[in-house]
Structures are given as structure tokens and as C-alpha cells.
Amino acid sequence: MINQKCSTLLLKDRRRRRIIKCIYVVGFMDLFGVSMIIPLLSHHVKALGASPTVAGIVGSTYGILQLFSSTIVGSWSDVVGRRYSLLTCLLLSALGYGLLGMSTSIALFVLARIPVGLFKHSLSICRALLSDLVSASERPLVMGHFNAASSVGFILGPVVGGYLTEHEGGFYTSSFTCAAIFLINAGLVWMIPQSETVANRNNTVCRNDTSTGYHENHFSKSVQNGSHTNSHHPLLTAETQQESTSPGKHRGGFRWRDVSFLQPVWKQLSSVGSRIHIVASSDMWDLFLVRLLMAIAIMLYYSNFSLAMEERFLLKPKMTGYLISYSSTLGALAGFLVGPVTQLYKNNMSALLLHSTVLTSTLIFLYAAAPNVWQVLLTSTFFAISTTIGRTCITDLELERGGVQASGTLIGAGQSVTAVGRILAPLLSGLAQEFSPCGPPSLGVVLALAAVALLLIRIPKWDARGMTKTAKFRNSHEQKLAH
């Protein structure tokens, strides 16, 4: 009997691994296609006759739409399921990039950016889907690998886009190629089963016997289009909790109609609104504030990097480009370090976030005070690693405190916070640069130190809550075993 259960879990594990690898490919191709287009957008809109001011306004359209749509689409993926929402985002993004390939006027260019701005959240939904498929201990490792795969795509994409641009009609060719890539991604997602039972990873399951006293449900979870069965979730609405225990429904899993996109639109909107309201009113302001402060600090580091290298060290743009490429490559490779580092910290993500934030703030300071290019090269090396680990930590902590049941809403809210940083960082950079080429990174140091101070104040409270929850869980489990 035990061998049969173990073989079933191993079979589910193989299916789960195949899905995870498929998501890695989707993430790689997503940023590969997007990075083909990004460097060409400003040149194309100017070629259409836009003035610098109009080009700036048009360029900000995408960021503004992302700011408001990230949380909504992420929450919508919690309601209707990851597979359907991911397919919708990929297909509509393909439509946007296809329209971009036909844009011969500024009006059509803006029209093409609207569906992309509203629905280009495929990476966020992929992260939410991965969090659904793996246990909490595996999540940093899998997220790190996904970020690494995506970053490699972002490094290779501009090379291909630049090559295509050298030919006549290169921008249009790149746009249609990007649209085709998103269609291929949609095909890959379509092949993912609509429902998949995934065993929760625990390496000791197959080696233990039934004397452990744990029910099989402690080692497995059911994923239906990215929705978990656990109804005891901090961000679940009362409505969802009531449905999960109502008569006629399986207590251990969802049915297709429970998460189907065929639900009435008003019900979907109501569920989305409820989830966003719960996240907005939850006690997670500290994590989102840390994310905002660090996002602005990191953006200030990069904001005038090329200009500062030229003014401070007389470095040519070509050499600066090599330095940026070197840092980007290290950032991609650093994704593979996330798993070993979290194991070294025994999955204590709070401590790891604090230490990575301290390291990041120190490196920004060293860059701002660097007397030569070699110190800049040294800081860039470790900066790429620390920021990669920090991003994974903050996402994992958001999911840990909010729970994976609302992972789409949480990740979407995090992306909205980052979008706010993208809006504020250029303004702050321009003001700081009025005083000195080192002004933006110096301001970044101040913001990063504010994030460190906030973490020092709040982490003890997070740990206290975690210990309380663990004690309650153990008492509850002991009572169940006694019965």
C-alpha cells in the first residue's frame, strides 16, 4: 500500500516537473521577445514624427497602464485560474505586438500599446503558477531558476532585435516575431492540463511508514488551474471559505466550475474586488514599502550609469555597454544561487532579505564613492547578485505572509508597487543629478538605509507572529492525533 502511494507521488512529481520546465521556457521566450522590441520603441515613435515630449508621454502610457492593471489581473488569475488568465494575457499581448508591427502612425502606435499595457502580466502569472506547484521550501529555488531563465532571454533578445533592425523594415519584422513568440507561448500553456494533482514535496514521504501519524493530505495538494485546496488561508475571502465547505462540494478539492471563467462577470469582478481590498487592508504595508524603497534605490543606481561613467572616468559608451552586459549576465546566473543561499539560511527569508538589503545599500554607497573603474566593476559584480537574491526574498515573503491562495493578487500588487518606483525614480534621478553625477546613487543609499531600518524594526514582529502561528499549528495537530 505504501509503495503504491509512493509510486503515485513519484508520477505526480514527474508531471509537476514537466509543467515547471514548460513555465521556464515560457518565461525565457517572454522576455526574449519583449527585449527585442524595447530598445527600438523610442526610435520608432520618433521616426513616426513624434516630438521628444510626445514620445515621452507615449512611452509612459505602458507604465501607467501596468500600474493599475497589475493587481487587477493578478487577482483575476486567483479567481478564474492561472491557465485561462495566462492564455488570455499571452493572446492579447500577441495582438498588441502584432498591431505594433502595423503601426504607421502615432495613433496606431498608442493603440497597440494599450492591450500590452493592460495584459502583459504573463511573467507575474507564471510566478503565481509556480508558487501553486511547489512547496514553500522549494519556492525560492524554483523562483530563482525562473528568474534566471527569464533574464537570459532578456540578454539575448536585444542581440536578435538589433540584427533584424539592420534590414529594411526591421522594426516591423521584430514586432511580428515578438507576436509569434507570444502565440507559441500560448500554445505551450494550452498543453498544460486543465487540472493537475500535485504532490507536495517532502523527501521523506517514500521512506516513512504509516506510523508517522500524518494523513496523506499533509503531503499532497490539489491544483485546479492554479487554485489550491487549502481554505485556511489568510487572504481568502469569507465567500470562498464558505464555498469550500458547503454541501455538494468536495472538501479536499475544487471542481472546474468553482474556478471557471464561465462564472458571471459580476461574480468575477466581486471576487477580484474582495481580494484586492483584503490585500490593501492587510498588515503587509511594511513589505510593500521595503519593495518600493529598494526598487527606487536600484533604479537610481542604473538611472544615469552611462552618463556618470563618462563624466567621472571618461569611459566610452562602448565600454559602459560591456559593463552593463557583464552585470546583466551575472544577474541571470545569480538566479541559480538563490536555492543554495536559502538552504544556507535554512529558509529564514527575513534574515536573508535583511542581509541582502544591507549588502545592496553598501554596494550602492561604494559605487557612488568609487575612485576608479575597477571598484565600479567590483561593486557591479556583487550588486547583480544581491539584487537578484533580494527580489526573490521579497516575493517569497509576500507569499509566505499572504499565502499562495492569493498569490496572483500578491504578486500583482508587488508589480504595481514596482511600477510606482518606475514613475518616481526618473523624477528623483533628474533632481539629484542637478547637484552631482553621484547624486542619484547617493539618494539611493539613503532610501536603501531607510529600508534596512524598517526591516530591523519589523522583522522581530514577523518572527513573533511566525512563532505564534507555529505553536497554534502544533497544538492543533497534536489534538487531531489525540482524537
Side-chain angles (χ1 to χ4, degrees):
M1 184 67 178
I2 297 175
N3 290 334
Q4 183 179 359
K5 288 183 179 180
C6 289
S7 61
T8 302
L9 290 176
L10 289 173
L11 179 61
K12 293 172 182 177
D13 183 49
R14 293 193 195 100
R15 293 173 181 170
R16 182 187 70 132
R17 292 297 174 187
R18 283 198 294 268
I19 295 175
I20 291 174
K21 290 178 181 178
C22 179
I23 299 302
Y24 288 166
V25 174
V26 171
F28 167 79
M29 295 181 65
D30 187 292
L31 278 189
F32 176 78
V34 170
S35 61
M36 290 172 54
I37 299 297
I38 290 177
L40 311 177
L41 290 175
S42 58
H43 297 286
H44 181 68
V45 72
K46 289 179 181 178
L48 294 176
S51 64
T53 303
V54 173
I57 295 173
V58 171
S60 65
T61 302
Y62 175 83
I64 294 173
L65 291 174
Q66 287 272 297
L67 170 62
F68 293 102
S69 62
S70 293
T71 307
I72 296 174
V73 173
S75 182
W76 184 58
S77 74
D78 289 332
V79 175
V80 302
R82 309 283 182 239
R83 182 174 177 269
Y84 173 72
S85 57
L86 185 53
L87 277 172
T88 303
C89 288
L90 289 171
L91 291 174
L92 289 176
S93 296
L95 173 64
Y97 287 114
L99 289 174
L100 196 64
M102 297 183 290
S103 59
T104 55
S105 65
I106 297 176
L108 190 56
F109 183 92
V110 174
L111 179 64
R113 297 300 285 166
I114 291 176
V116 178
L118 291 175
F119 292 99
K120 175 58 186 72
H121 302 292
S122 44
L123 290 180
S124 298
I125 299 177
C126 283
R127 291 187 178 95
L129 178 56
L130 289 174
S131 70
D132 294 337
L133 292 172
V134 299
S135 62
S137 60
E138 288 181 300
R139 191 166 57 217
L141 174 65
V142 172
M143 290 293 185
H145 289 175
F146 176 77
N147 291 336
S150 303
S151 298
V152 170
F154 195 80
I155 293 170
L156 297 178
V159 178
V160 178
Y163 173 78
L164 294 176
T165 307
E166 293 181 356
H167 299 78
E168 186 178 355
F171 176 80
Y172 302 104
T173 303
S174 299
S175 298
F176 287 127
T177 303
C178 182
I181 287 174
F182 274 80
L183 290 175
I184 293 172
N185 271 351
L188 291 175
V189 174
W190 180 262
M191 291 189 295
I192 296 177
Q194 290 185 350
S195 62
E196 185 69 31
T197 301
V198 182
N200 192 1
R201 298 287 54 85
N202 190 316
N203 294 329
T204 62
V205 174
C206 293
R207 293 193 295 269
N208 290 345
D209 55 21
T210 54
S211 63
T212 57
Y214 280 90
H215 190 271
E216 185 181 358
N217 286 339
H218 285 282
F219 298 105
S220 63
K221 58 185 176 182
S222 175
V223 178
Q224 177 77 23
N225 291 312
S227 296
H228 277 250
T229 61
N230 182 14
S231 61
H232 304 289
H233 193 282
L235 293 183
L236 271 180
T237 61
E239 177 185 4
T240 307
Q241 292 177 348
Q242 183 178 0
E243 288 179 357
S244 64
T245 57
S246 61
K249 293 185 179 179
H250 297 289
R251 190 179 183 88
F254 285 107
R255 294 178 182 174
W256 166 249
R257 64 174 176 269
D258 295 334
V259 293
S260 172
F261 61 92
L262 298 177
Q263 295 178 33
V265 175
W266 65 267
K267 189 174 182 180
Q268 293 185 29
L269 293 176
S270 175
S271 299
V272 168
S274 298
R275 289 171 182 270
I276 293 175
H277 173 72
I278 291 175
V279 171
S281 59
S282 65
D283 188 22
M284 294 182 63
W285 63 269
D286 43 12
L287 266 180
F288 289 128
L289 182 55
V290 169
R291 174 186 277 269
L292 177 62
L293 291 172
M294 291 308 299
I296 297 176
I298 293 169
M299 291 173 192
L300 288 173
Y301 174 92
Y302 287 114
S303 61
N304 70 330
F305 190 83
S306 298
L307 182 61
M309 290 297 97
E310 184 177 355
E311 292 186 3
R312 295 172 62 187
F313 308 114
L314 302 178
L315 205 64
K316 295 181 179 180
K318 182 179 180 180
M319 295 303 297
T320 303
Y322 288 149
L323 187 58
I324 294 173
S325 297
Y326 166 75
S327 179
S328 300
T329 304
L330 282 180
L333 296 177
F336 296 103
L337 294 176
V338 174
V341 172
T342 53
Q343 290 178 2
L344 181 64
Y345 275 77
K346 298 180 180 179
N347 284 328
N348 187 348
M349 303 305 289
S350 300
L352 182 54
L353 176 62
L354 175 61
H355 294 164
S356 67
T357 305
V358 171
L359 178 59
T360 301
S361 59
T362 304
L363 292 171
I364 297 176
F365 171 77
L366 291 176
Y367 160 70
N372 52 57
V373 177
W374 295 109
Q375 184 166 320
V376 174
L377 179 64
L378 182 64
T379 57
S380 297
T381 301
F382 292 99
F383 187 77
I385 298 173
S386 67
T387 52
T388 299
I389 293 175
R391 277 197 304 269
T392 305
C393 285
I394 198 76
T395 301
D396 190 80
L397 279 171
E398 287 169 359
L399 295 175
E400 181 182 326
R401 290 182 61 189
V404 291
Q405 180 73 30
S407 56
T409 308
L410 292 165
I411 293 175
Q415 293 301 315
S416 294
V417 171
T418 304
V420 174
R422 290 195 187 99
I423 295 173
L424 295 178
L427 300 175
L428 295 175
S429 176
L431 292 174
Q433 201 165 337
E434 292 288 340
F435 299 95
S436 168
C438 298
S442 300
L443 179 58
V445 172
V446 175
L447 296 177
L449 289 176
V452 171
L454 181 59
L455 287 173
L456 289 173
I457 295 172
R458 299 296 296 179
I459 283 179
K461 297 183 179 181
W462 300 349
D463 294 340
R465 291 174 188 170
M467 293 175 63
T468 303
K469 290 180 180 179
T470 302
K472 289 182 178 179
F473 173 78
R474 287 177 179 173
N475 293 335
S476 176
H477 179 63
E478 288 173 359
Q479 291 176 1
K480 289 181 180 179
L481 290 179
H483 289 298

